[in-house]
């Protein structure tokens, strides 16, 4: 209730009878406190409204403690939405275009609808745990907070059988995707801690789902037979055998596919898809023995230089002549982008276009399906089969640590393991049959 009085009776209004009761902030508790200033003049900050006196006192103690450790006095007015929008704008110059687009999608479609109106200083670990539970929940759970989060996520939700729309995800999200969302939120909140907006990062110990790494499998004959009978892949990440790689490249060469050089380079040397689409002619040296420089941004080791191999040099030279012919035919409509892999108008080929084309080509070549990114796994497995040192493969692929390469690819075509298996039988004495 408030302390307003009836002008006629001079008595306080009964509970909720005041005509001003429905106004925002009326009959609420506020708190004031002094904040330090550079000029020494007194400055007071008001925080509120609060429903009870105890809530106002608790928040007041929290604000005084936060400011005493160097916090910003006006941080209690900042919402999660305004902070993340400001943080995202500051991150744009240092992020790659695709990375920034991913950050923007997460903030616009996940963070803003669910947590956007929450005051930044009042954001807790419980908020984030409920959000991650809603992202990973197959249905609405009994927890009211999780159900509310799921309801706010509805506009960005795509049904399991419906085609995916731009800016949406098919829920429930995988554990890997939820961890990606968490990393973006945690980065934004870490910046808030460093700038004094909040005293601690609520993203710590947010209860992330356990992520099980699915190993890559090789398309052996039994697995290919099972796929042809059922139409189901044994695993998400699949790798072609050398024979299947040759079958696919032979089909591209026979049909004179315009992206033969691209797919062969991806299959044999393993650059990432974005690294291929952003590759420039100035980063290639097609004289013997052939050198390529990858200006990657994923990790510090993704910026690397390695040899192409004579097969890739010959394919890229042929593609250069084809591109020059297309440039001459396009005339003034040609886009001088300087990119290696382009469409007939000179525009850089997009990842989505490559994905659709690769899917059609694998079906036409009658080879089992793999993802476009799995060509990178093929490059690693072919290198292992050829006896290339694991450290060389790791440096060519641009991995951060050599141990990651060993943990990921030693189960794919393990030549040393096969030799070890045969060696065991060689040392077992047996009676002659």
């Amino acid at each position: 209730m408030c302390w307003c009085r009836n002008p006629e009776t001079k008595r306080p209004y009964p509970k909720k009878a005041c005509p001003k009761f429905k106004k925002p902030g009326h009959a609420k508790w506020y708190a004031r406190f002094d904040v330090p200033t550079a000029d020494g003049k007194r400055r007071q900050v008001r925080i509120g409204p609060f429903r009870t006196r105890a809530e106002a006192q608790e928040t007041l103690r929290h604000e005084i403690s936060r400011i005493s450790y160097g916090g910003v006095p006006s941080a209690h007015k900042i919402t999660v939405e305004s902070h993340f929008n400001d943080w995202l704008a500051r991150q744009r110059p240092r992020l790659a275009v695709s990375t920034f687009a991913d950050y923007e999608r997460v903030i616009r479609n996940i963070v803003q609808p669910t947590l956007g109106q929450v005051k930044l200083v009042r954001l807790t670990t419980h908020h984030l745990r409920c959000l991650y539970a809603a992202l990973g929940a197959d249905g609405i759970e009994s927890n009211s907070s999780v159900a509310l989060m799921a309801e706010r996520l509805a506009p960005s939700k795509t049904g399991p059988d419906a085609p995916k729309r731009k800016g949406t995800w098919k829920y429930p999200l995988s554990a890997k995707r939820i961890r990606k969302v968490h990393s973006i939120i945690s980065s934004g909140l870490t910046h808030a801690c460093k700038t004094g907006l909040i005293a601690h990062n609520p993203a710590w110990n947010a209860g992330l789902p356990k992520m099980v790494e699915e190993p890559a499998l090789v398309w052996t004959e039994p697995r290919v037979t099972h796929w042809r009978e059922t139409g189901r892949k044994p695993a998400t990440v699949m790798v072609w055998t050398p024979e299947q790689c040759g079958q696919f490249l032979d089909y591209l060469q026979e049909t004179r596919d315009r992206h033969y050089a691209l797919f062969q380079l991806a299959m044999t040397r393993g650059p990432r898809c974005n690294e291929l689409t952003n590759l420039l002619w100035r980063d290639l040296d097609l004289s013997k023995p052939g050198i390529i420089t990858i200006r990657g941004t994923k990790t510090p080791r993704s910026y690397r230089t390695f040899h192409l191999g004579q097969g890739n040099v010959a394919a890229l030279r042929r593609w250069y002549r084809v591109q020059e012919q297309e440039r001459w035919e396009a005339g003034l409509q040609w886009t001088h982008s300087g990119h290696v892999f382009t469409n007939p108008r000179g525009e850089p080929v997009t990842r989505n276009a490559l994905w659709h084309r690769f899917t059609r080509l694998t079906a036409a070549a009658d080879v089992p399906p793999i993802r476009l990114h799995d060509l990178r796994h093929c490059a690693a497995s072919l290198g292992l089969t050829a006896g290339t040192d694991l450290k060389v493969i790791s440096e060519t692929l641009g991995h951060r640590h050599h141990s990651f390469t060993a943990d990921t690819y030693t189960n794919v075509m393990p030549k040393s393991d096969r030799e070890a298996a045969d060696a065991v039988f060689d040392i077992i004495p047996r009676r002659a049959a």
Side-chain angles (χ1 to χ4, degrees):
M1 61 179 293
C2 63
W3 293 269
C4 298
R5 293 178 177 269
N6 191 318
E8 297 179 357
T9 63
K10 307 301 181 181
R11 292 174 178 267
Y13 283 107
K15 187 176 182 180
K16 298 184 180 181
C18 177
K20 300 179 182 179
F21 189 80
K22 293 186 179 180
K23 290 185 177 181
H26 189 69
K28 302 291 183 180
W29 286 88
Y30 290 84
R32 290 182 181 273
F33 61 97
D34 293 335
V35 297
T37 58
D39 53 7
K41 294 182 179 180
R42 184 182 183 186
R43 179 189 171 195
Q44 284 191 332
V45 173
R46 189 180 78 157
I47 57 176
F50 304 99
R51 292 178 300 173
T52 62
R53 180 175 182 176
E55 185 179 352
Q57 290 176 337
E58 181 183 358
T59 307
L60 176 62
R61 289 193 296 268
H62 179 271
E63 282 295 301
I64 294 175
S65 175
R66 184 180 61 81
I67 294 174
S68 65
Y69 284 98
V72 180
S74 59
H76 64 278
K77 297 181 180 180
I78 300 175
T79 62
V80 172
E81 179 179 1
S82 61
H83 166 69
F84 272 91
N85 286 337
D86 178 70
W87 172 75
L88 184 64
R90 294 175 184 271
Q91 300 302 308
R92 185 164 197 165
R94 74 174 190 85
L95 297 177
V97 176
S98 59
T99 305
F100 177 81
D102 195 28
Y103 277 41
E104 189 178 30
R105 276 196 302 270
V106 169
I107 293 173
R108 183 178 64 249
N109 297 318
I110 294 181
V111 177
Q112 291 183 0
T114 57
L115 304 172
Q117 301 308 312
V118 178
K119 298 295 185 182
L120 185 62
V121 295
R122 296 189 181 182
L123 185 67
T124 63
T125 302
H126 177 71
H127 287 105
L128 299 180
R129 287 185 176 181
C130 292
L131 172 60
Y132 300 153
L135 292 175
D138 206 353
I140 296 179
E141 300 183 4
S142 57
N143 189 324
S144 60
S145 299
V146 177
L148 180 61
M149 295 287 184
E151 182 181 350
R152 292 175 178 175
L153 288 169
S156 64
K157 184 176 182 180
T158 300
D161 299 326
K164 184 179 181 297
R165 306 188 309 274
K166 184 178 181 180
T168 64
W169 289 278
K170 290 189 177 182
Y171 293 102
L173 299 185
S174 64
K176 183 177 181 179
R177 186 62 190 172
I178 293 176
R179 285 177 174 267
K180 177 63 176 178
V181 172
H182 169 75
S183 68
I184 296 174
I185 295 176
S186 181
S187 297
L189 295 178
T190 299
H191 179 266
C193 288
K194 292 180 179 179
T195 54
L197 297 179
I198 54 179
H200 72 285
N201 191 341
W204 297 339
N205 301 320
L208 295 175
K210 184 178 181 180
M211 186 171 63
V212 179
E213 292 289 346
E214 187 178 8
L217 298 179
V218 184
W219 274 116
T220 58
E221 286 299 327
R223 290 169 181 161
V224 173
T225 303
H226 177 75
W227 165 72
R228 295 189 186 280
E229 293 175 351
T230 63
R232 290 180 295 183
K233 293 171 59 178
T236 303
V237 183
M238 299 299 298
V239 180
W240 282 335
T241 62
E243 293 75 19
Q244 292 162 348
C245 291
Q247 181 180 342
F248 179 72
L249 292 179
D250 287 342
Y251 175 80
L252 297 185
Q253 191 171 28
E254 292 170 0
T255 57
R256 298 179 179 273
D257 189 83
R258 63 180 290 106
H259 291 313
Y260 169 75
L262 184 152
F263 292 129
Q264 179 176 270
L265 178 61
M267 182 186 296
T268 56
R269 304 307 288 156
R272 300 177 178 91
C273 185
N274 285 342
E275 294 170 347
L276 286 169
T277 56
N278 294 324
L279 185 62
L280 302 176
W281 282 112
R282 70 184 185 207
D283 295 327
L284 291 178
D285 181 5
L286 299 183
S287 59
K288 291 184 179 181
I291 297 175
I292 180 174
T293 299
I294 299 294
R295 303 177 185 273
T297 58
K298 187 175 179 65
T299 64
R301 292 179 63 88
S302 62
Y303 193 107
R304 58 203 189 276
T305 300
F306 51 87
H307 290 95
L308 288 168
Q310 291 305 307
N312 286 320
V313 170
L316 287 169
R317 284 175 177 173
R318 289 193 298 269
W319 165 244
Y320 181 80
R321 292 192 292 269
V322 171
Q323 192 182 70
E324 286 295 302
Q325 179 66 23
E326 291 179 345
R327 184 173 67 87
W328 182 81
E329 294 175 354
L332 295 178
Q333 296 181 350
W334 180 263
T335 302
H336 296 272
S337 63
H339 284 75
V340 176
F341 302 110
T342 58
N343 60 21
R345 297 181 301 276
E347 300 168 344
V349 63
T350 64
R351 181 173 182 170
N352 191 51
L354 280 180
W355 179 80
H356 286 290
R357 189 175 189 87
F358 181 71
T359 303
R360 293 194 298 268
L361 289 173
T362 53
D366 194 30
V367 290
I370 63 173
R371 305 173 305 167
L372 180 60
H373 184 74
D374 292 341
L375 289 177
R376 180 172 166 85
H377 301 310
C378 290
S381 63
L382 290 173
L384 287 171
T385 305
T388 308
D389 185 76
L390 193 62
K391 182 178 180 180
V392 175
I393 296 176
S394 178
E395 293 175 349
T396 303
L397 296 177
H399 287 158
R400 184 185 297 271
H401 302 293
H402 299 156
S403 59
F404 175 81
T405 311
D407 295 340
T408 305
Y409 296 111
T410 49
N411 66 319
V412 180
M413 299 183 185
K415 180 179 179 181
S416 58
D417 182 64
R418 183 173 66 249
E419 294 174 351
D422 293 335
V424 169
F425 286 93
D426 292 339
I427 66 173
I428 299 177
R430 300 293 301 275
R431 292 193 301 269

